[in-house]
Amino acid sequence: MNTIPHIIAGKNAPGEGGTPVFNPATGEQTALVAGGGTSEIEAAVRAAQAALPGWATTAPARRARVMYDMRRLLEARKEDLARAISAEHGKTHSDALGEVARGQEVVEFACGIAHLLKGSYSADVSSDVDCWDMRQPLGVVAGITPFNFPVMVPLWMIPMALACGNAFILKPSERDPSAPNLLHDLWREAGLPEGVLNLVHGGKPAVDAILDHPGIAAVSFVGSTPIAQYVYGRGCAAGKRVQALGGAKNHLVVMPDADLDQAADALMGAGYGSAGERCMAVSVAVPVGAKTADALVARLKPRVQALKIGPSTDAAAEMGPLVTAAHRDKVSSYIDAGQSAGAELVVDGRGLTLQGYEKGFWLGGTLLDRVTSSMSVYKDEIFGPVLSVVRSETYEDAVGLINANPFANGTALFTRDGDAARDFANRIQVGMVGINVPIPVPVGTHSFGGWKSSIFGSHGVYGPEGVHFYTRLKTVTSRWPTGVRSGAQFHFAER
């Protein structure tokens, strides 16, 4: 069986043991991914340290040329990347293509690194004294990325780190490792020198080795909140700069004046796209008023029932399987718990099977109404195709519900009223806000980051925040004594 290797100093490297990789649509094992730990991380750090001086001193404009070439290759190879994503994650081909496109935005932003690294200069801050600042790379940095976006999330980190002059070690999820390996190959084809980017697979031993290694200056992480908190605490204790993005419970408030058909369409894409396996998925709909709630549920029910579910090879599929059988069963248990706690099961996605794909990790779209804030189906991040409707009597109640939640990644308000929209944007205690936009993921020229238990660390990812995270500020204050200019005389000999 095919074994997916580490890539260190530009060469494939075997590892100890291996973890099975599955096709979620069929349930069949397709490969083994190499295991990694302390020795593999040590080798990757040595390779990165050897490549770092040459890359860090490469002119930013020349580093940008690699970004331009990578952008071109992502466009040329997007179909290959999307197929690799779908084969091991399970998301539909269109969702996978969208993932590649969002990652490509960050590469495009990194193409402007020569401008982004410009410092400021102040002349004559005192008598004959000038002051200026510059941003310099940190050194060797690492990223630990999740299964749900095996291309996009690495592309949130790698372009910014490399463009700023750092060397990078990627530890992707072992559930869908083929797409990250292909991504590494594209960076090499774009002209990145060997050793500047290294890739080590593995589980907790590899993560701990990254967090503990004194040669790694900074760590970026995306995953669940408990692991994000662990990564942040252990990494900071080792003296590293850490940004750790955690879980979410994203609400979409529907006001009585909203276009309910538009809101229902938005909830379908935001709640069930990518099978709900994304940290910006909307998992809670909050209609304001009983009439709004009844009308919204009436619109959602037939849409959820009609969801076209299938493998990525089915061009008509709107939703694929979940990533593993264990995760499918975990999501199903939340549906059980919600029903037992008194939620109204409007559409039940449990027990779904597809002809020819009976062993796949399938779960249909599920809709729960009359969910309360005390239920586990509301409190926990489910990470699956389960949309909970929490009815709210007033707008103020909806705002209070969201602000009381410990997660604060994204939220949205659907309304025609500008006053409500302005008030919501200003008062809501959430890092990313959409107004009639269900998934407010910032474009590559801005930065991604939640609040509260959805992030640990003071920097968001990509955009301007990415430049600040992957560089450190140096300020120079300078005065020159009087030199040869004073009293200098020049004589020209006559011919």
Side-chain angles (χ1 to χ4, degrees):
M1 181 170 288
N2 177 45
T3 298
I4 300 166
H6 313 296
I7 308 176
I8 299 173
K11 297 177 175 60
N12 290 349
E16 295 293 329
T19 302
V21 179
F22 294 91
N23 180 335
T26 65
E28 297 173 345
Q29 182 179 343
T30 57
L32 282 171
V33 59
T38 302
S39 61
E40 288 78 17
I41 294 299
E42 177 63 35
V45 171
R46 287 199 304 268
Q49 288 173 333
L52 178 65
W55 181 248
T57 55
T58 297
R62 289 188 176 274
R63 297 199 296 259
R65 293 176 192 175
V66 175
M67 303 299 135
Y68 279 109
D69 281 345
M70 184 60 178
R71 192 262 176 220
R72 173 184 56 80
L73 288 168
L74 286 172
E75 182 65 28
R77 300 290 298 278
K78 62 185 179 183
E79 293 286 341
D80 295 337
L81 282 164
R83 282 190 288 269
I85 293 167
S86 296
E88 294 174 354
H89 175 276
K91 66 179 63 174
T92 65
H93 189 66
S94 61
D95 273 347
L97 284 172
E99 173 181 345
V100 176
R102 292 311 301 263
Q104 188 173 307
E105 288 182 7
V106 182
V107 178
E108 290 169 350
F109 180 77
C111 289
I113 195 63
H115 169 73
L116 297 167
L117 289 178
K118 286 194 304 185
S120 60
Y121 189 98
S122 297
D124 295 319
V125 295
S126 186
S127 299
D128 297 324
V129 176
D130 304 326
C131 188
W132 72 91
D133 58 61
M134 63 183 82
R135 303 204 73 91
Q136 295 185 320
L138 301 177
V140 177
V141 300
I144 303 166
T145 58
F147 75 86
N148 58 322
F149 288 102
V151 166
M152 184 185 76
V153 174
L155 287 178
W156 282 0
M157 304 172 184
I158 297 171
M160 301 310 306
L162 298 184
C164 290
N166 302 282
F168 198 91
I169 298 169
L170 174 66
K171 206 302 289 182
S173 170
E174 58 271 36
R175 295 180 186 177
D176 40 15
S178 292
N181 275 43
L182 176 55
L183 202 60
H184 175 278
D185 293 344
L186 295 184
W187 280 108
R188 284 289 311 283
E189 190 176 342
L192 191 69
E194 289 184 358
V196 175
L197 174 62
N198 301 277
L199 193 154
V200 176
H201 298 288
K204 189 174 184 295
V207 170
D208 288 346
I210 287 171
L211 298 176
D212 295 342
H213 200 293
I216 297 175
V219 177
S220 301
F221 171 85
V222 176
S224 68
T225 286
I227 306 303
Q229 195 165 14
Y230 171 81
V231 166
Y232 184 75
R234 186 159 178 163
C236 289
K240 303 184 192 310
R241 180 180 294 186
V242 183
Q243 55 180 185
L245 278 66
K249 200 70 182 180
N250 305 318
H251 303 67
L252 189 151
V253 178
V254 182
M255 295 292 287
D257 69 327
D259 182 325
L260 291 183
D261 289 321
Q262 181 190 53
D265 288 342
L267 283 165
M268 290 302 300
Y272 302 104
S274 198
E277 294 175 321
R278 53 189 179 191
C279 67
M280 287 297 283
V282 170
S283 55
V284 184
V286 188
V288 176
K291 290 183 179 179
T292 306
D294 290 343
L296 181 66
V297 171
R299 284 168 169 80
L300 285 171
K301 180 178 179 179
R303 286 173 166 87
V304 179
Q305 291 172 327
L307 267 174
K308 173 65 174 174
I309 299 170
S312 63
T313 51
D314 182 355
E318 298 172 299
M319 192 177 89
L322 272 68
V323 68
T324 64
H327 186 56
R328 175 202 58 200
D329 295 344
K330 180 180 178 181
V331 175
S332 293
S333 73
Y334 274 108
I335 301 171
D336 298 340
Q339 189 176 18
S340 297
E344 179 184 338
L345 186 60
V346 180
V347 182
D348 187 356
R350 294 170 295 184
L352 176 68
T353 58
L354 297 183
Q355 185 175 1
Y357 296 90
E358 288 82 4
K359 295 183 179 179
F361 311 139
W362 303 103
L363 183 70
T366 297
L367 179 62
L368 293 166
D369 192 9
R370 303 184 188 278
V371 173
T372 68
S373 60
S374 64
M375 297 178 183
S376 63
V377 72
Y378 172 79
K379 292 189 293 185
D380 297 346
E381 183 183 33
I382 298 175
F383 226 61
V386 180
L387 179 62
S388 297
V389 177
V390 178
R391 294 172 175 239
S392 180
E393 291 186 9
T394 67
Y395 166 77
E396 289 296 331
D397 290 341
V399 170
L401 177 76
I402 297 170
N403 284 348
N405 197 283
F407 295 113
N409 221 32
T411 190
L413 176 75
F414 272 59
T415 183
R416 290 185 173 94
D417 181 55
D419 174 60
R422 187 174 186 274
D423 180 80
F424 187 82
N426 286 331
R427 288 176 55 205
I428 211 70
Q429 296 170 20
V430 176
M432 291 169 283
V433 181
I435 304 298
N436 298 316
V437 174
I439 305 180
V441 176
V443 296
T445 50
H446 290 265
S447 299
F448 181 107
W451 287 9
K452 296 192 284 190
S453 292
S454 291
I455 192 169
F456 299 88
S458 56
H459 292 284
V461 294
Y462 67 78
E465 287 281 279
V467 175
H468 290 168
F469 180 78
Y470 288 117
T471 59
R472 51 189 168 189
L473 182 69
K474 178 181 287 183
T475 304
V476 181
T477 304
S478 171
R479 179 173 60 193
W480 291 96
T482 301
V484 295
R485 177 176 62 87
S486 177
Q489 295 182 7
F490 298 91
H491 299 281
F492 296 91
E494 294 182 2
R495 292 187 177 181

